[in-house]
Amino acid sequence: QVRLVESGGGLVQPGGSLRLSCAASGSISSSNLMGWYRQSPGKQRELVAIFISGGRINYADSVKGRFTLSRDNAKNTVYLQMNSLKPEDTAVYYCNAFRGSAYWGQGTQVTVSS
């Protein structure tokens, strides 16, 4: 059984920072942790940042230069450091893993508002 648990969301003012964490447990390793997606009300889930082949990272254009994806293999955890947050970053953020099929966490709410 695979379990992904996200944490670190919350309310932050524009320009602020948050760090999201996603801890994986069960029949999955850190190499299966792919990255983060987000979904705003009325919109489809969209990619934020994911690991791709060769150790590279693919970022959505809207977050390039502001968000940083990283992974701690020893802790089986993936992180998303989010700086210079904007109101349009408000969404539920989901951790994604892939091992034969896709796995998702329960999501963590990020609200950017003054």
Side-chain angles (χ1 to χ4, degrees), residues 10-15 85-88 90 110-114:
L11 173 63
V12 64
Q13 292 186 342
L85 283 161
K86 304 175 181 180
E88 51 263 43
T90 295
V110 172
T111 302
V112 185
S113 174
S114 56

Side-chain angles (χ1 to χ4, degrees), residues 1 3 10 14 17 26 29 35 45-46 49 52 57 60 62 64-65 73 76 79-80 83 98 100 107-108 112 114:
Q1 184 178 0
R3 188 172 183 222
S17 299
S29 67
R45 192 170 296 188
E46 63 177 2
I52 58 177
I57 298 172
S62 59
K64 282 180 181 177
N73 294 330
N76 234 19
Y79 303 96
L80 185 69
N83 298 328
F98 188 85
T108 185
V112 185
S114 56

Side-chain angles (χ1 to χ4, degrees), residues 25-43:
S25 61
S27 305
I28 201 160
S29 67
S30 60
S31 63
N32 301 121
L33 288 169
M34 302 308 296
W36 294 87
Y37 289 71
R38 67 187 181 187
Q39 188 168 16
S40 304
K43 295 186 178 180

Side-chain angles (χ1 to χ4, degrees), residues 42-92:
K43 295 186 178 180
Q44 290 188 337
R45 192 170 296 188
E46 63 177 2
L47 181 149
V48 177
I50 57 168
F51 292 102
I52 58 177
S53 61
R56 295 171 296 166
I57 298 172
N58 186 28
Y59 291 99
D61 288 342
S62 59
V63 308
K64 282 180 181 177
R66 300 187 298 121
F67 290 11
T68 303
L69 178 66
S70 62
R71 185 161 55 196
D72 186 330
N73 294 330
K75 295 183 178 180
N76 234 19
T77 299
V78 64
Y79 303 96
L80 185 69
Q81 177 66 43
M82 305 187 295
N83 298 328
S84 302
L85 283 161
K86 304 175 181 180
E88 51 263 43
D89 294 318
T90 295
V92 178

